Amino acid sequence: MSGTAPSSTPKSRDLSVEEARDRILAGLRPTSAEIVALANAWNRVMAEPVLARLTQPPADVSAMDGYGLRAADGALGANLTVIGAAPAGHPFAGRVQPGQAVRIFTGGLVPPGADAILLQEDATEADGQVTVNETVKPGRWIRRAGLDFAAGETLLPAARRLTARDIGLAAAGNNPWVTVHRRPRIGILATGDEIALPGEPIPAGGIVSSNAHALAALVRAGGGEPVVLPIAPDDRDAIAAAAAAARACDMLVTTGGASVGEHDLVQKALGDDPSLGGFALDFWKIAMRPGKPLIWGRLGRTPVLGLPGNPVSALICAVQFLWPGLAVMQGMPAAAPATVRLRAGAALAANDQRFDHLRAGLGADAQGQRIATPFVMQDSSMLKTLARAEALILRAPFAPAIPAGTEVEVILLADLGI
């Protein structure tokens, strides 16, 4: 339905947050795969599994500093002849015979003939002889070949976002390169006559635009590559021209112009320009606070997510819809942002018909239980409150009033890295 505008959309109930997110995520596809150096792979999402290219450890090695010997010779008080040493990286060339021991160090290969390790603190060495001060047991302090992993074993599955620990495991498996999903390129377009970039002259009655910077940071945190476009004034041609510049992106995210009104031009601008390939609107209203006006559609082949112009609304909508969308575009399963259950640090009033997101701080109650306490002021114009928030308390539509101490569902913003 190219060119669809709010005024021509049939009146219907606002979509729930879950329905809107499901429709958004269903319309996204993973980016293509690319091979990157392991050193550059942190926070990337695997497109193919990582396999072990060797066995680790490659042979039986000592877990401690001490002496490699036959367990049969390791009785308390036994005296053994030290015939050599086996530091890590320098295997002993001979074989341990009865009555013999080899000085060994952590990571050193257990020499042939030895089947136990006598700890150095349980031994006394003098004049080429070592005395056993603690009886040894067969297999004691030996790490067997393949204890960690075997050649050909899957070390990391596809659709996994790589942590520092994962990078270490891939390296241990002798993988200098990994195959990951390309970072999704997200075009970010702020619209409005009233906004100016930080440091630029502010128009009369205008404000500084914070949305593009905040959304670009969120995109980076989510593994994407932001493409920040110049601010577009409230003009159809200007918005259409800016949108055209984003057609090479994997998604276009706009802010402003998402609600009903004569100055809300995003849908009209996208739909009126046939050169853009036509704008197909899926939906444009959701039952959410903050953030009721939300556009989702497609400009030719490019998905378009239109966020509200209100900075707090834009960011919270980005948490609920853009953040999981970035994950899907990198080959991860479709899912809502992760939540935890915490106790409310204050009583909460009954909610209305809109899914609410209360900005909150974290702390502990008298019993040491972790709590989330909503800020007194929840006005959606207050960016300072959002910046200081550590969590979003989620309140379902028509949720009843609850006393302090009741468990609530919470998104921890630090867990998202934003």
Side-chain angles (χ1 to χ4, degrees):
M1 48 185 172
S2 175
T4 303
S7 59
S8 63
T9 303
K11 183 176 178 62
S12 62
R13 69 177 181 85
D14 296 344
L15 286 180
S16 71
V17 169
E18 293 78 9
E19 290 173 308
R21 185 169 48 238
D22 287 346
R23 284 163 71 161
I24 289 172
L25 299 186
L28 298 174
R29 296 294 179 268
T31 57
S32 58
E34 63 181 7
I35 297 174
V36 300
L38 185 62
N40 299 323
W42 176 81
N43 204 38
R44 302 296 294 272
V45 178
M46 298 303 307
E48 296 179 2
V50 172
L51 305 182
R53 301 175 64 203
L54 46 70
T55 295
Q56 181 65 22
D60 293 355
V61 298
S62 177
M64 303 289 283
D65 292 347
Y67 298 84
L69 70 164
R70 299 168 66 248
D73 293 336
L76 179 63
N79 289 299
L80 307 173
T81 301
V82 179
I83 60 173
H90 298 277
F92 178 70
R95 183 179 184 85
V96 175
Q97 302 292 341
Q100 296 179 339
V102 169
R103 183 74 166 104
I104 198 167
F105 299 88
T106 303
L109 266 60
V110 177
D115 61 0
I117 304 297
L118 170 66
L119 297 185
Q120 65 179 17
E121 52 265 42
D122 294 334
T124 303
E125 183 179 356
D127 300 324
Q129 297 286 311
V130 62
T131 300
V132 178
N133 298 328
E134 182 72 32
T135 301
V136 301
K137 298 178 181 178
R140 190 73 183 272
W141 306 118
I142 293 177
R143 293 175 179 148
R144 297 299 181 187
L147 175 66
D148 199 355
F149 50 80
E153 182 180 336
T154 297
L155 299 180
L156 300 167
R160 180 183 180 93
R161 189 178 297 279
L162 294 174
T163 65
R165 292 164 287 133
D166 296 332
I167 297 294
L169 177 59
N174 199 28
N175 290 278
W177 309 89
V178 290
T179 302
V180 298
H181 284 281
R182 177 177 55 78
R183 294 186 189 277
R185 300 179 75 242
I186 308 299
I188 300 173
L189 173 62
T191 68
D193 289 338
E194 76 281 10
I195 58 176
L197 290 175
E200 294 185 348
I202 303 172
I207 58 173
V208 176
S209 173
S210 61
N211 285 347
H213 288 74
L215 292 172
L218 182 142
V219 167
R220 289 190 187 96
E225 179 184 340
V227 180
V228 179
L229 303 169
I231 291 174
D234 286 329
D235 175 84
R236 293 191 189 189
D237 291 340
I239 294 172
R247 281 184 293 183
C249 293
D250 298 296
M251 179 190 289
L252 171 62
V253 175
T254 68
T255 66
S259 57
V260 181
E262 61 179 316
H263 295 295
D264 299 314
L265 304 174
V266 169
Q267 294 185 62
K268 296 176 183 178
L270 299 182
D272 286 352
D273 191 335
S275 68
L276 298 178
F279 177 60
L281 174 69
D282 187 333
F283 64 83
W284 63 276
K285 287 193 302 180
I286 54 175
M288 173 174 164
R289 183 175 51 247
K292 179 176 180 177
L294 186 88
I295 297 171
W296 175 246
R298 193 169 292 273
L299 183 62
R301 296 182 177 181
T302 306
V304 177
L305 178 63
L307 304 177
N310 179 295
V312 174
S313 300
L315 271 175
I316 292 181
C317 282
V319 167
Q320 283 286 16
F321 307 112
L322 178 54
W323 184 266
L326 287 165
V328 169
M329 296 171 79
Q330 293 169 85
M332 301 182 75
T339 61
V340 297
R341 303 283 296 181
L342 300 180
R343 299 182 185 277
L348 302 181
N351 194 24
D352 60 14
Q353 73 276 10
R354 296 166 66 188
F355 192 97
D356 206 356
H357 300 71
L358 303 177
R359 281 71 79 197
L362 299 176
D365 61 18
Q367 289 73 44
Q369 296 289 324
R370 202 176 190 191
I371 59 173
T373 304
F375 298 129
V376 175
M377 294 291 291
Q378 290 288 327
D379 191 286
S380 64
S381 69
M382 299 175 65
L383 261 178
K384 183 172 71 174
T385 300
L386 180 59
R388 292 179 177 177
E390 299 169 281
L392 299 175
I393 297 175
L394 306 182
R395 297 281 283 154
F398 305 108
I402 56 174
T406 305
E407 279 197 346
V408 289
E409 192 173 14
V410 170
I411 294 175
L412 298 177
L413 296 176
D415 286 356
L416 304 184
I418 60 170

